[in-house]
Amino acid sequence: MVSLLSAMALFAFVGAVSPGPVNVMATYAGAQFGWRKASIHVLGASVAYVLVVFICGVALGEMSQGIPLLVPVMRWVGSLYLLYLAVRILLTKDLGLNSNPQMAMKALFVQGSLIQLLNPKAWIFASSGVSLYVLNQVNTHSALGWFCSLSLVICFIGVGVWAVLGQSVAQWLNSPRRQRWFQLILAAMLCVSMVIIWM
């Protein structure tokens, strides 16, 4: 059991900390709002990922028949949403680093959740994890429960690292020119993550 949980934890950590659209937006939230407020965004992404894992665990057999249709739809919807986010980052005139943005906690939570739910990487990664660590266990319900629990904690830590990175970078972003470069880099990273989805 310990080896299974360790494998689950390592798998979840690699997925959570590797670069992707959710982490790019967590970095942006960290730079814009600071860690405390960005953690609500991170929590939304983490809860949404657990929902993805749970759905994959419960319905993987049925989904496998629908995946030929599901994957292209998720790719298009996810790609369009990432493109929208990239444009939104580019068009933001002021990151609001020196002010106290009044973005509601609920809006940050929903934003983090939506990015994760529309992230094809999350669905593919969760499906792989369920196939590897849940479906081949004697008690699949218990294994899925452990996998969901570990995914919640580790996703919060992994994505949270990016939000902390964003907060750290915020101190360097003390000029409009640096803020613009930061926006361009984040928008480019989102576009690259969109291209990777199609490879």
Side-chain angles (χ1 to χ4, degrees), residues 50-60 63 117 123 144 148:
V50 171
L51 179 61
V52 170
V53 171
F54 182 76
I55 291 170
C56 289
V58 170
L60 192 60
M63 280 179 58
L117 290 172
W123 289 92
L144 181 59
C148 286

Side-chain angles (χ1 to χ4, degrees), residues 88-106:
R88 193 169 151 201
I89 287 172
L90 284 175
L91 295 180
T92 301
K93 290 191 176 8
D94 181 13
L95 294 181
L97 301 178
N98 299 320
S99 62
N100 183 19
Q102 296 302 311
M103 187 171 191
M105 297 292 189
K106 183 179 177 183

Side-chain angles (χ1 to χ4, degrees), residues 13-198:
F13 183 74
V14 169
V17 82
S18 60
V22 173
N23 293 335
V24 171
M25 292 308 296
T27 306
Y28 186 64
Q32 190 173 22
F33 303 114
W35 159 248
R36 182 175 288 180
K37 216 165 182 183
S39 66
I40 303 301
H41 172 92
V42 173
L43 181 63
S46 302
V47 170
Y49 182 66
V50 171
L51 179 61
V52 170
V53 171
F54 182 76
I55 291 170
C56 289
V58 170
L60 192 60
E62 294 174 18
M63 280 179 58
S64 63
Q65 297 173 357
I67 279 180
L69 177 63
L70 179 65
V71 171
V73 169
M74 286 299 296
R75 274 183 171 182
W76 279 107
V77 172
S79 296
L80 290 173
Y81 188 64
L82 293 182
L83 191 59
Y84 161 75
L85 290 173
V87 169
R88 193 169 151 201
I89 287 172
L90 284 175
L91 295 180
T92 301
K93 290 191 176 8
D94 181 13
L95 294 181
L97 301 178
N98 299 320
S99 62
N100 183 19
Q102 296 302 311
M103 187 171 191
M105 297 292 189
K106 183 179 177 183
L108 278 168
F109 185 88
V110 169
Q111 184 185 58
S113 301
L114 191 58
I115 292 168
Q116 190 72 281
L117 290 172
L118 292 176
N119 182 11
K121 173 193 165 189
W123 289 92
I124 293 166
F125 209 78
S127 298
S128 301
V130 166
S131 300
L132 288 168
Y133 306 114
V134 175
L135 297 182
N136 60 348
Q137 300 303 311
V138 176
N139 188 340
T140 56
H141 296 296
S142 175
L144 181 59
W146 278 110
F147 194 42
C148 286
S149 301
L150 284 170
S151 293
L152 177 63
V153 173
I154 292 172
C155 187
F156 187 83
I157 293 168
V159 178
V161 165
W162 288 82
V164 170
L165 175 67
Q167 180 175 324
S168 302
V169 169
Q171 297 169 1
W172 178 76
L173 298 172
N174 56 4
S175 73
R177 185 177 179 185
R178 288 179 177 175
Q179 286 185 25
R180 191 64 186 153
W181 273 107
F182 181 67
Q183 289 172 283
L184 288 168
I185 289 167
L186 289 182
M189 287 174 69
L190 278 179
C191 290
V192 167
S193 67
M194 181 181 65
V195 170
I196 290 171
I197 289 169
W198 288 95

